[in-house]
Amino acid sequence: MRRAFFLVAAIFFAMPCFAAEFDTEALFFSEVEVPIVMYHLVTENPKYLGKYGITPDEFEQDLKFLAENNYSTVVFQDLFDFVTQGIPLPKNPVMLTIDDGNAGDFFYVLPLLEAYDMKAVVAIIGGAADKYTAQAVDNPDGKYPNLTWPQISELHASGRVEIQSHSWNLHAVPIGSGKKSGESAEAYHSRLLADLQKLQNACAENLNYTPSAFVYPLGVIGEGSREVLEELGMFGSISCQEGMNTLLRNDIDCLFLLRRTNRPSGHGIEKILKSI
């Protein structure tokens, strides 16, 4: 077997027509590790800085560190393409996710992603987008805490931001998208399906695109939720469990419940990546 392998390799490398295109990593590399860093709010308001809020300068310093240390930002579609089609990921891949769809994603995050030639995943809340889009109709110059649909559309069109689902309206503490006390499996399935379908429909209408992954609100994972995601045509999900992700070719399971680590204010991405 070993002799046969080297014989095939020798044939490929000896043929000029293959030499320029042959990529050993693309052909044989079947496993890759991808850290995911979790952000929530990028803001200049010191009131909201802390565990879930950082300044635009802190976010820029993170991107600067990644650029200077040869990291490549990827989005969920890149992970899916690697797992299902074997399309190689860039060297030193890292995924940046930003929850909730706050206005800072438009005013601070997008310009910085463009400046540093990077990408991020923004998980939006459909109910909030609807609410502030309606308010902006009457007061277009108003300042709103969450993204409006026109802003989400611009993020999506930029090619820098991949929009994913954070539910339509499932951020009620403490259950998030989990089961209610005493709720049957059938009732939970129907309730979760209805909520997520509403956001899928809204994205299709406003973006001509539907999210392919679900980012669990509050990190609460309800039993049976994966079946709902698959029914909606989603290919994966993102949790709040910390740790490294190991992606395997042809293993769709590895795209569900992806792990990520929170980035608080005062704790730069260099420390976070080392801890992962």
Side-chain angles (χ1 to χ4, degrees), residues 49-249:
L49 301 181
K51 185 176 182 180
Y52 298 115
I54 67 171
T55 66
D57 182 65
E58 286 182 301
F59 187 71
E60 180 172 10
Q61 291 306 309
D62 286 357
L63 299 186
K64 185 178 180 181
F65 172 83
L66 295 177
E68 292 177 347
N69 289 275
N70 300 313
Y71 282 90
S72 299
T73 51
V74 296
V75 293
F76 181 78
Q77 185 65 47
D78 297 319
L79 307 191
F80 178 77
D81 290 343
F82 169 78
V83 170
T84 61
Q85 301 179 50
I87 298 176
L89 289 171
K91 291 184 177 180
N92 301 321
V94 60
M95 191 158 82
L96 310 179
T97 65
I98 311 173
D99 287 6
D100 304 330
N102 293 295
D105 300 345
F106 182 81
F107 294 107
Y108 304 123
V109 171
L110 179 58
L112 288 171
L113 292 176
E114 291 173 336
Y116 285 87
D117 191 22
M118 294 190 180
K119 301 184 288 186
V121 174
V122 171
I124 63 170
I125 302 170
D130 252 25
K131 175 182 177 180
Y132 294 111
T133 299
Q135 291 184 15
V137 171
D138 297 325
N139 183 15
D141 296 324
K143 293 184 178 180
Y144 304 104
N146 286 78
L147 297 168
T148 63
W149 280 112
Q151 290 172 335
I152 295 170
S153 180
E154 191 167 334
L155 290 176
H156 174 67
S158 73
R160 300 288 174 186
V161 174
E162 181 186 71
I163 301 298
Q164 296 296 358
S165 172
H166 208 29
S167 84
W168 181 263
N169 189 27
L170 291 178
H171 278 74
V173 177
I175 64 166
S177 57
K179 282 185 179 181
K180 295 180 179 179
S181 178
E183 188 174 32
S184 69
E186 293 77 11
Y188 171 67
H189 183 98
S190 296
R191 180 172 62 84
L192 183 61
L193 180 64
D195 181 277
L196 301 192
Q197 182 68 72
K198 191 171 183 179
L199 180 55
Q200 296 294 92
N201 293 344
C203 285
E205 179 180 349
N206 289 280
L207 310 176
N208 194 30
Y209 157 89
T210 54
S212 56
F214 181 55
V215 181
Y216 281 92
L218 310 175
V220 180
I221 302 164
E223 182 181 355
S225 59
R226 175 169 170 172
E227 286 77 3
V228 174
L229 305 186
E230 291 177 331
E231 187 172 339
L232 290 168
M234 293 187 181
F235 311 122
S237 60
I238 303 173
S239 73
C240 291
Q241 298 170 340
E242 296 191 349
M244 180 64 76
N245 299 286
T246 300
L247 301 183
L248 302 172
R249 291 269 302 275

